[in-house]
Every structure is written in structure tokens, then in C-alpha cells.
Amino acid sequence: MSLLSTRGLSKHFAGLTAVNDVDFDLPEGQIRALIGPNGAGKTTFVSMLCGRVELSSGVVMFEGRDISVLPAHKRIGLGLAYTFQITSVFGNLSVAENVALAARRRVKGAMVAQVVTEALGKVGLADRMEQNAADLSYGHQRLLEIAMGLAQAPKLLILDEPTQGLADSEISDFKALIRDLANSTTILLIEHNMNVVMELADFITVLDFGQVLAEGTPQDIRANAAVQAAYLGTV
């Protein structure tokens, strides 16, 4: 059984079809990359998975349960965490306080501090716990977002453009982080950096004009002529 699946998932905005009749299956334990040109519908698609955008038609299933009409906070409670394409940290709070807010959805009392320390340690921000989030670089804010997701012990972690704003050295650390996280959680990665995608993903889904253009291993996708044409030969 897939951890997450969709059938006929569609979203229409005032006559514009952003996502059109997408069937999608994500097995437990996989690193799946979702790629495609700008405007392909990737963020709208994952926003429907997370409950941030209401679907126009279709079904979203998580662990065999229909979650199509559940609000976002209920989906988080089931184990589905999503980091945003644009950082959503609280700039006036410390790094630790940001992660603690996320942790308190799952644990209480002294356990909060333990979860905060573990999550920040995993993303390499343990030495910045007392720093205000607003003072972090953009790349470090993205890592803080991931820590906030990890604090919820997700069964599925959805990362939207996580390497945007990271330096090359930080991207190398990020890839190591994802490989480590994959031992304990399923990962859906929306990413434009093709080196990251090809190195990390077990399987890739390509969206174009709101529809699935192709699916396969990194080798399959790299060799796919339709993907090369849609993605301007950058894959």
C-alpha cells in the first residue's frame, strides 16, 4: 500500500487548470522528487496534499485513509509535514523557540527541549539555538524550517525548493541530511537543482501543464526525450 496517493486530483483557478487529473503513488520509505518547468503545478499539487489549497476534484489518501477534506493541521497530526517554498519561520523568535512551537504539537514538558535539540542538531543549527530567526541567512532559515518539520516526527516530509539560497557547501550537507532522514521518514522533494534531484531521488515524477508527463528512475528521466523538451534540456 502506498503511504500517500491521489486519484484524479485537479485544481482550477477561475478558468485556469493548475493541476489536471493527477494519479500519484508514493511508497513508504522512498525519496521521491517532483520536478517540472515553472508554472507546471508542482506547488499547487503539494499544497492540495497538505490541505493548504482546496482541491477541485479527486481524492487524496494517506495510509489508506481519505484525507481530501481534512484541514492542514489535522494532516500534520497524521504525520504529514510540509516546508514552504518561501520561508515561514517566526523572525522575532529564537531558533529554538521556532522549533519548540512545532514540537509542542506532538510532545509536552521536558520532552520539548530534547526534541528541539535533536532536530537542530540534525540540520546543523545546534550552535544557533538562541539566535533570532530573522538574523539567520536565507539558507539557514530553510534549514530551520526543516528542523521544524522534523520536530513533528513526520511519516512524510514534503520539502518545497529546500536548496534555494543554499551555498554549494551547504547543498552538500543538505544531501547528506536527506540521506540520513530517509532512514526514518518518506520524503517528497520539489526541487529545481537537477544535480540534487539526480543524486538523491529513488524515483522522479515530472509535471508539465498540471499533468504527469513522465515517471521513472533518475536514469529513465534523464533519457526521456519528452522531459528534455519540456525542461529545455536541463535534465
Side-chain angles (χ1 to χ4, degrees), residues 54-191:
E54 185 178 349
L55 53 85
S56 297
S57 59
V59 177
V60 179
M61 305 286 292
F62 189 70
E63 292 191 309
R65 174 181 175 178
D66 187 345
I67 63 169
S68 305
V69 298
L70 283 185
H73 71 277
K74 293 284 189 182
R75 300 187 198 198
I76 291 171
L78 294 177
L80 199 160
Y82 176 34
T83 70
F84 304 104
Q85 188 175 23
I86 301 172
T87 54
S88 58
V89 301
F90 296 95
N92 60 330
L93 299 180
S94 72
V95 167
E97 287 168 336
N98 269 275
V99 181
L101 284 175
R104 289 190 188 101
R105 291 172 171 167
R106 183 173 64 89
V107 297
K108 304 297 180 187
M111 281 294 296
V112 173
Q114 179 181 334
V115 169
V116 169
T117 299
E118 290 176 354
L120 289 173
K122 282 188 175 181
V123 303
L125 294 178
D127 60 341
R128 299 175 181 268
M129 293 181 70
E130 302 308 317
Q131 188 172 348
N132 261 23
D135 296 332
L136 294 176
S137 68
Y138 181 78
H140 284 154
Q141 287 186 18
R142 303 312 307 273
L143 294 175
L144 174 56
E145 263 205 330
I146 294 175
M148 293 167 69
L150 295 179
Q152 299 165 50
K155 298 173 184 176
L156 172 60
L157 181 61
I158 301 178
L159 305 174
D160 197 349
E161 301 289 352
T163 66
Q164 185 176 324
L166 296 184
D168 289 344
S169 60
E170 293 171 327
I171 288 176
S172 179
D173 291 341
F174 170 79
K175 289 186 286 191
L177 169 64
I178 294 303
R179 292 188 184 102
D180 178 55
L181 296 180
N183 293 318
S184 58
T185 187
T186 305
I187 295 170
L188 177 58
L189 181 68
I190 299 89
E191 182 57 69

